[in-house]
Amino acid sequence: EAGVAQSPRYKIIEKRQSVAFWCNPISGHATLYWYQQILGQGPKLLIQFQNNGVVDDSQLPKDRFSAERLKGVDSTLKIQPAKLEDSAVYLCASSLSTRSETQYFGPGTRLLVL
Amino acid sequence: GEDVEQSLFLSVREGDSSVINCTYTDSSSTYLYWYKQEPGAGLQLLTYIFSNMDMKQDQRLTVLLNKKDKHLSLRIADTQTGDSAIYFCAGRYNQGGKLIFGQGTELSVKP
């Protein structure tokens, strides 16, 4: 079974530029999560989707971050414009449903904002 | 609010047991997890325990849950150099299933 796929693996941009990350969850998984992991900290949930609907985006900085999952499968997370403090690893995870006890994580996208 | 805390570092000798500790504030957690993160890699689920259990054993891993003290621990028996990594404790909350992570414990295993 293929795992959660993410691209790109690494990205370096300058502040005020835009960047987009892509995630393809495990086939059949209805729930998709985006987490932000700042260096030295644990991951923090940014947004959660159930199919193509948003379940929780309470921690998403909506003035600069946006995410979509239009067809309920893969998802993109965008930052526009980026700030220095957005430097982090962006992890995508998926699970069968919101009731599932197991979330499977992708390898992450490492973003450096200069 | 929801909070999970861990000690930051642990150093052990190869062959010894490692015990990584975690405390959490929200007693409504339904599941509690241990994830492993190696340098440059994503999160690997090691094991998890349902909140109505006290203990779970899985090969070299033993999880202990003390609900009264809101304390979770992970014991790794016969620790190997390949166990060197950052270990995250996380709690799962009923609303939507999001995970709340601790800040991670860096385990260093010396030969």
Side-chain angles (χ1 to χ4, degrees):
Chain A
E1 178 183 83
V4 176
Q6 290 188 248
S7 68
R9 293 296 311 278
Y10 305 91
K11 191 73 177 179
I12 300 174
I13 61 172
E14 294 187 349
K15 61 182 179 185
R16 291 187 289 272
Q17 285 187 323
S18 301
V19 65
F21 313 129
W22 175 81
C23 171
N24 192 20
I26 293 173
S27 178
H29 281 197
T31 309
L32 185 148
Y33 307 81
W34 283 102
Y35 289 86
Q36 181 193 55
Q37 185 180 16
I38 293 172
L39 187 65
Q41 299 181 20
K44 181 186 77 172
L45 182 73
L46 290 175
I47 189 167
Q48 176 186 349
F49 291 94
Q50 175 70 9
N51 297 311
N52 61 353
V54 175
V55 174
D56 184 349
D57 64 356
S58 58
Q59 298 297 305
L60 187 74
K62 297 179 186 66
D63 57 334
R64 298 182 301 106
F65 286 65
S66 64
E68 59 184 18
R69 195 185 183 199
L70 293 176
K71 296 183 180 178
V73 181
D74 54 353
S75 174
T76 54
L77 175 69
K78 296 178 182 177
I79 309 175
Q80 180 178 14
K83 292 186 175 181
L84 298 177
E85 58 261 37
D86 298 332
S87 295
V89 177
Y90 291 85
L91 294 163
C92 180
S94 71
S95 63
L96 279 170
S97 75
T98 57
R99 293 179 177 272
S100 300
E101 63 263 22
T102 307
Q103 291 181 25
Y104 297 90
F105 282 80
T109 296
R110 279 157 179 74
L111 174 67
L112 179 60
V113 182
L114 301 174
Chain B
E2 306 145 346
D3 193 21
V4 177
E5 292 197 358
Q6 302 176 236
S7 52
L8 295 181
F9 299 102
L10 177 65
S11 181
V12 300
R13 291 269 176 210
E14 192 173 22
D16 288 349
S17 291
S18 308
V19 179
I20 302 171
N21 295 300
C22 169
T23 57
Y24 58 97
T25 56
D26 193 329
S27 57
S28 67
S29 303
T30 52
Y31 290 91
L32 293 145
Y33 300 82
W34 285 103
Y35 281 87
K36 176 183 180 183
Q37 188 174 42
E38 295 180 273
L43 293 171
Q44 174 195 353
L45 177 63
L46 289 177
T47 186
Y48 61 94
I49 188 167
F50 189 49
S51 57
N52 69 353
M53 297 170 64
D54 297 324
M55 187 184 89
K56 181 179 179 181
Q57 189 153 2
D58 185 359
Q59 298 182 335
R60 293 191 297 124
L61 305 178
T62 303
V63 179
L64 295 178
L65 176 60
N66 181 326
K67 288 183 287 293
K68 174 175 169 290
D69 294 337
K70 297 179 185 173
H71 182 265
L72 183 75
S73 67
L74 174 69
R75 179 178 179 269
I76 305 172
D78 186 25
T79 313
Q80 303 298 306
T81 54
D83 294 324
S84 293
I86 299 177
Y87 290 79
F88 290 95
C89 166
R92 180 182 183 276
Y93 298 86
N94 281 329
Q95 287 191 326
K98 74 176 181 181
L99 298 181
I100 304 295
F101 286 86
Q103 64 269 55
T105 298
E106 183 176 350
L107 174 65
S108 173
V109 183
K110 301 188 187 313

